[in-house]
């Protein structure tokens, strides 16, 4: 409940144009999707913690944001993360887990 209250206070990140933010737990393939969408190997990939900060990659007419994964051991979930979540024109949750495991993130989208 504290994170939902905090999220209401944080302003959206100001973004222009089409921007896509990829959310999910570690190792689900967010960085691999960035590389596929941008036809590059710019985003580092790996099974755990390859992305430790929010990074934007330019596509043909959009920006795609690779976000650090969420899990119980390490959390990069902070004000910048919430601001991007609120400001992105498109949000994609990359899931290889059950909906129950993703409930925290889904609840945040609802708020």
């Amino acid at each position: 409940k504290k994170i939902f209250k905090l999220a209401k206070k944080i302003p959206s990140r100001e973004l222009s144009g089409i921007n896509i933010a990829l959310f999910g737990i570690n190792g689900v393939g967010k960085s691999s999707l960035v590389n596929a969408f941008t036809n590059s190997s710019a985003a580092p990939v790996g099974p755990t913690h390859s992305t430790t900060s929010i990074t934007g990659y330019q596509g043909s007419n959009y920006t795609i944001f690779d976000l650090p994964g969420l899990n119980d051991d390490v959390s990069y979930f902070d004000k910048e993360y919430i601001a991007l979540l609120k400001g992105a024109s498109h949000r994609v949750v990359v899931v290889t887990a059950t909906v129950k495991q993703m409930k925290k993130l889904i609840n945040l989208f609802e708020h």
Side-chain angles (χ1 to χ4, degrees):
K1 292 183 181 185
K2 289 180 184 180
I3 195 75
F4 300 141
K5 288 181 183 179
L6 176 64
K8 287 181 181 182
K9 295 178 184 178
I10 296 171
S12 299
R13 181 168 170 181
E14 294 294 324
L15 298 168
S16 60
I18 298 171
N19 45 78
I20 305 160
L22 300 179
F23 299 91
I25 62 174
N26 290 332
V28 296
K30 295 180 300 296
S31 299
S32 295
L33 282 173
V34 167
N35 289 339
F37 285 128
T38 60
N39 196 28
S40 72
S41 58
V45 296
T48 59
H49 306 293
S50 299
T51 303
T52 57
S53 63
I54 296 172
T55 308
Y57 297 90
Q58 194 61 48
S60 57
N61 63 344
Y62 58 88
T63 302
I64 188 165
F65 289 91
D66 193 6
L67 282 85
L70 299 174
N71 67 22
D72 291 336
D73 299 330
V74 177
S75 180
Y76 300 100
F77 198 80
D78 59 12
K79 290 179 181 180
E80 183 182 5
Y81 194 100
I82 293 169
L84 182 64
L85 184 151
K86 292 174 75 173
S89 62
H90 298 78
R91 297 167 200 90
V92 176
V93 179
V94 182
V95 179
T96 61
T98 65
V99 171
K100 183 178 179 181
Q101 290 170 314
M102 297 300 296
K103 187 85 171 138
K104 188 186 309 181
L105 182 59
I106 292 168
N107 282 339
L108 186 60
F109 282 166
E110 291 173 355
H111 283 82

